[in-house]
Amino acid sequence: MPWISHSTTNEVINQICDRIWLAVVQRTLRPGARLKEEELTEIFGTTRARVRQALAILEQDGLVTIYPNRGACIAEPSVDDAQDAFSARLAIEQRLVTRLCRSAKPEDIAILRDHIAQERAAHARGDSEAVIRLSGEFHMLIARLAEAELLLKILRTLTIRTSLITAMYQTQATQTCGPDEHDRILAAIEARDESRASHEMTHHLEHLETALRLSEAPMPVSGLREALHGIAQRRAP
Amino acid sequence: MPWISHSTTNEVINQICDRIWLAVVQRTLRPGARLKEEELTEIFGTTRARVRQALAILEQDGLVTIYPNRGACIAEPSVDDAQDAFSARLAIEQRLVTRLCRSAKPEDIAILRDHIAQERAAHARGDSEAVIRLSGEFHMLIARLAEAELLLKILRTLTIRTSLITAMYQTQATQTCGPDEHDRILAAIEARDESRASHEMTHHLEHLETALRLSEAPMPVSGLREALHGIAQRRAP
DNA sequence: TCATATAATATTGTTGACAATATCGTTGAC
DNA sequence: GTCAACGATATTGTCAACAATATTATATGA
């Protein structure tokens, strides 16, 4: 049940988006991989029109790039894009935790505490899929509890972007940061210390960013053809 | 040349989006007004598919609401929505001015100064359309000069929302705030005073928000029917 | 052998007709 | 006279065939 789900009337479209996102964060689909409409149509047992809508949504979210008349590929965010995404998340999430410091009710604290416990459990049993999912969900949870619908929506697309960036640039050493930092953020919220909460969130996001090897620009590609011909580069406008 | 333009391959779709946005800020199209696909098709001399795409984009931007199987209407943001939008803008724009304080080159300052001069000119000659356009453009300009592509994109949709909100809740007294506050923001940027710039931006946005009569909840409607039957409420999920 | 032009194939983009759904007006029973 | 059910109309949603475009393969000349 990915927290990424885009609110669309059609369930099939959500499925397509979720599955593609999942494949990306699990590194099954590499950046630059082509997404042929026909192929997706067969996989999901739907029509091309639906696939098309899904791809349009995913492009909005920055997960895929659509080259006109040439099809869709998993996006390949540059180092600049990555820094932009984290910078934007910082702006949004600093405000969110500050806001939550003021408005958090005891049950909100309890929900967050329980969530972190789940993260710990997933971490302990080595369930990396759950770790990724829960780790992202924590941030979305803060947005939801802060009752900022718009900021939640924005954060959702930003998190999709950073998911892709993480999948693209992460070193195998830094799979995910443990739930300890989430714990410190929660502690600050509980203490109603806006400044500290904001600071902890900043630290957390900066940690996430610096854990990537952004400087090296690994430029991963999906398949042999792209690797050999550099099609993705030539295609860019 | 509305600064709202969404980057789409198809020019017609941009036109539709721009025209609808313009009609909204000029209060020609009132919130709640129905947007029949066929009607738009005739007006813009295009096909229903294109109109549909345009409406989907406008829904993403929060300018229209699409009720499944029932068509599209100009959105009617609630007071909460309005506060959310300004809150989000605050988060984004504080970061943008801070960033620009560090990175602004002399030519950037010149561009901003020139822009404010244009604002003054438009204000002086009573060209309210230009005033609205330029006033919004100033904020987008800051985002562009700050070289934060993602934040620019986010700010674009937020500005569309606040445009609608302004058109919806503004009192006739407070048409637009003059360019003086923009001037103070620029002065802070020029002085490289991050704290002051952030503060001026905050003040400016809060001023914009408080100039609206959000508390009264005028709940404007497009037609008599909606006013009497409260259809907009029943339609919501 | 390499580069260029051309035909063949594959993929995306568009259109118009059809199906599904909601709204509106009418009829009929109570 | 009011309400509910029904049919008529209007509007949106979907699809499959067609057109446009790009990519690949082939052929040709230097």
Side-chain angles (χ1 to χ4, degrees):
Chain A
M1 207 69 62
W3 42 272
I4 282 305
S5 262
H6 188 274
S7 55
T8 311
T9 52
N10 197 312
E11 192 52 39
V12 182
I13 294 175
N14 292 334
Q15 275 183 26
I16 297 174
C17 292
D18 291 345
R19 282 293 300 269
I20 289 178
W21 172 77
L22 201 63
V24 168
V25 299
Q26 290 179 340
R27 315 184 81 168
T28 311
L29 268 176
R30 312 288 295 270
R34 281 209 62 183
L35 302 169
K36 295 183 192 171
E37 295 180 357
E38 195 107 15
E39 222 171 316
L40 294 171
T41 304
E42 288 169 17
I43 292 169
F44 291 98
T46 180
T47 63
R48 262 184 63 214
R50 294 274 164 74
V51 170
R52 208 150 233 281
Q53 281 184 61
L55 289 174
I57 289 170
L58 289 172
E59 189 194 26
Q60 274 295 315
D61 292 337
L63 197 65
V64 314
T65 308
I66 294 178
Y67 303 103
N69 291 319
R70 255 166 283 191
C73 297
I74 302 294
E76 299 177 280
S78 67
V79 173
D80 275 355
D81 293 335
Q83 285 166 349
D84 265 16
F86 277 101
S87 174
R89 273 192 67 171
L90 207 49
I92 301 291
E93 304 210 45
Q94 278 177 346
R95 172 149 291 259
L96 282 172
V97 287
T98 305
R99 207 181 146 120
L100 192 57
C101 277
R102 294 193 197 121
S103 70
K105 287 164 283 187
E107 54 259 43
D108 295 340
I109 307 286
I111 289 170
L112 287 171
R113 196 191 308 284
D114 179 62
H115 188 92
I116 292 173
Q118 281 183 260
E119 284 188 70
R120 280 230 165 71
H123 210 264
R125 70 173 184 271
D127 184 348
S128 70
E129 183 183 323
V131 167
I132 292 172
R133 184 172 53 78
L134 290 167
S135 178
E137 204 170 67
F138 177 78
H139 293 259
M140 302 293 278
L141 199 51
I142 287 179
R144 192 155 67 239
L145 295 177
E147 289 177 346
E149 205 176 330
L150 239 184
L151 287 173
L152 172 64
K153 189 181 161 189
I154 295 169
L155 182 60
R156 182 190 143 270
T157 85
L158 289 178
T159 312
I160 292 176
R161 283 170 199 269
T162 53
S163 295
L164 170 59
I165 289 161
T166 302
M168 194 167 163
Y169 290 102
Q170 83 179 153
T171 63
Q172 64 261 44
T174 61
Q175 289 290 358
T176 47
C177 65
D180 293 347
E181 294 185 2
H182 288 178
D183 231 344
R184 299 181 67 169
I185 294 169
L186 174 57
I189 292 172
E190 199 172 3
R192 312 278 173 188
D193 188 337
E194 294 180 16
S195 164
R196 198 174 105 216
S198 174
H199 184 270
E200 289 292 349
M201 180 60 85
T202 304
H203 179 76
H204 177 48
L205 288 174
E206 283 175 351
H207 184 201
L208 282 177
E209 187 179 355
T210 54
L212 309 174
R213 40 173 190 186
L214 288 178
S215 52
E216 295 183 27
M219 190 52 71
V221 284
S222 61
L224 195 57
R225 218 187 59 239
E226 285 82 356
L228 298 175
H229 296 166
I231 284 171
Q233 274 68 24
R234 278 199 286 114
R235 273 177 179 160
Chain B
M1 205 71 62
W3 42 272
I4 281 306
S5 262
H6 187 274
S7 53
T8 311
T9 52
N10 197 310
E11 193 52 40
V12 182
I13 293 176
N14 292 335
Q15 275 183 25
I16 297 174
C17 291
D18 290 345
R19 283 294 301 270
I20 289 178
W21 172 77
L22 201 63
V24 168
V25 299
Q26 289 178 339
R27 314 185 81 167
T28 312
L29 268 176
R30 311 290 292 272
R34 280 208 62 183
L35 302 169
K36 295 183 192 171
E37 294 180 358
E38 194 105 18
E39 221 171 315
L40 293 172
T41 304
E42 288 169 17
I43 292 169
F44 291 98
T46 180
T47 62
R48 259 186 64 213
R50 294 274 165 73
V51 170
R52 207 150 234 282
Q53 282 184 58
L55 289 174
I57 289 170
L58 290 172
E59 190 195 25
Q60 274 294 316
D61 292 337
L63 197 66
V64 315
T65 308
I66 295 179
Y67 303 102
N69 293 318
R70 253 165 285 190
C73 297
I74 302 294
E76 300 176 279
S78 66
V79 174
D80 275 356
D81 293 336
Q83 286 166 349
D84 264 16
F86 277 102
S87 175
R89 274 192 67 171
L90 206 49
I92 301 292
E93 303 211 44
Q94 279 177 346
R95 173 149 288 260
L96 283 171
V97 287
T98 303
R99 207 180 145 117
L100 192 56
C101 277
R102 296 193 196 122
S103 69
K105 286 163 284 187
E107 54 259 43
D108 296 339
I109 307 286
I111 290 170
L112 286 170
R113 197 191 307 284
D114 180 63
H115 188 92
I116 293 173
Q118 281 183 260
E119 284 189 69
R120 280 228 166 70
H123 211 263
R125 69 173 186 272
D127 183 349
S128 70
E129 184 183 321
V131 167
I132 292 173
R133 185 171 54 76
L134 291 167
S135 178
E137 206 171 65
F138 177 78
H139 293 260
M140 302 293 279
L141 199 50
I142 287 179
R144 194 155 65 238
L145 295 177
E147 289 177 345
E149 205 176 331
L150 240 183
L151 287 172
L152 172 65
K153 189 182 161 190
I154 295 170
L155 182 59
R156 182 190 142 269
T157 85
L158 289 177
T159 312
I160 292 176
R161 282 170 200 268
T162 53
S163 293
L164 170 59
I165 289 162
T166 302
M168 195 166 162
Y169 289 101
Q170 84 180 153
T171 62
Q172 62 262 44
T174 61
Q175 290 290 359
T176 47
C177 65
D180 293 346
E181 294 186 1
H182 288 179
D183 231 345
R184 300 181 66 171
I185 293 169
L186 173 58
I189 292 172
E190 199 172 3
R192 313 279 174 185
D193 188 338
E194 295 180 15
S195 163
R196 197 173 107 219
S198 174
H199 185 270
E200 289 293 349
M201 180 60 85
T202 303
H203 179 77
H204 177 49
L205 288 174
E206 282 175 351
H207 185 200
L208 282 177
E209 186 178 355
T210 54
L212 309 174
R213 41 173 189 185
L214 289 179
S215 54
E216 295 182 26
M219 190 51 70
V221 285
S222 60
L224 196 58
R225 215 186 63 238
E226 284 81 357
L228 299 175
H229 294 167
I231 283 173
Q233 275 67 23
R234 276 200 289 116
R235 273 179 179 160

